[in-house]
Amino acid sequence: MKVAIASDHGGITIRKEIISLLEEMKVEYVDLGCECDTSVDYPDYALPVAEKVVKGEVDRGILVCGTGIGMSIAANKVKGIRCALVHDTFSAKATREHNNTNILAMGERVIGPGLAREIVRIWLNTPFEGGRHEKRINKITSYELIHD
Ligand code: RB5
């Protein structure tokens, strides 16, 4: 498992927290920033992470901004990305089991570091259930291919 992680200026603290979790979990990662004191634009960080996932350079992505909303909107514009904005452990598990999400987005102004760590731990460890959920995801993929 290899993960790409990034944040804008609004998500630096949680990003650093998640990086230390990935190190504890011995999960390989690539940190795409930001290294910023000033305001930056979240698409400049979400899109490179999403590109790495669809190109197969990493297995999953993790994005953090103030709300997680901008990051998730931007990431989901990239074909093949299924990014979920998650702020609770129930959804962290469900979105892997049902949606086979390949990017997780969180908001640092919404949740604290302890919950963020738990969400990431669950999200990384939960497998996709397949079955009836596969058929639903295939409908999204077909839509992407038709509207290329
Ligand atoms: C930055 O102020 C903020 O807009 C950004 O971190 C994020 O919340 C956008 O969705």
Side-chain angles (χ1 to χ4, degrees):
M1 167 80 76
K2 186 168 179 184
V3 171
I5 185 166
S7 75
D8 70 358
H9 55 286
I12 293 174
T13 305
I14 288 211
R15 185 177 108 247
K16 302 275 185 201
E17 187 71 37
I18 299 310
I19 286 173
S20 60
L21 173 68
L22 295 174
E23 286 170 359
E24 282 166 36
M25 292 175 74
K26 308 216 178 310
V27 172
E28 200 184 340
Y29 68 89
V30 50
D31 179 11
L32 299 186
C34 68
E35 299 307 330
C36 43
D37 296 328
T38 52
S39 183
V40 295
D41 301 331
Y42 56 81
D44 294 339
Y45 296 88
L47 297 172
V49 167
E51 286 289 335
K52 277 199 176 296
V53 173
V54 293
K55 286 177 184 159
E57 293 172 16
V58 296
D59 303 294
R60 307 263 193 95
I62 298 175
L63 296 167
V64 192
C65 64
T67 59
I69 296 170
M71 286 292 200
S72 60
I73 292 171
N76 276 316
K77 295 295 178 194
V78 177
K79 280 187 206 311
I81 291 300
R82 291 177 302 281
C83 173
L85 173 59
V86 173
H87 290 132
D88 67 278
T89 54
F90 176 85
S91 301
K93 184 165 180 280
T95 196
R96 284 290 312 135
E97 289 174 341
H98 293 195
N99 315 120
N100 198 13
T101 42
N102 46 18
I103 297 189
L104 170 70
M106 296 178 291
E108 179 172 304
R109 296 173 191 155
V110 184
I111 55 169
L115 180 53
R117 284 173 70 98
E118 207 43 39
I119 286 168
V120 170
R121 191 186 290 281
I122 291 167
W123 186 75
L124 288 176
N125 285 333
T126 304
F128 178 47
E129 268 182 16
R132 68 187 190 281
H133 303 298
E134 183 97 57
K135 181 184 73 168
R136 294 163 184 166
I137 287 170
N138 288 344
K139 290 191 176 186
I140 299 170
T141 307
S142 301
Y143 180 90
E144 285 178 332
L145 291 173
I146 290 164
H147 296 85
D148 199 7

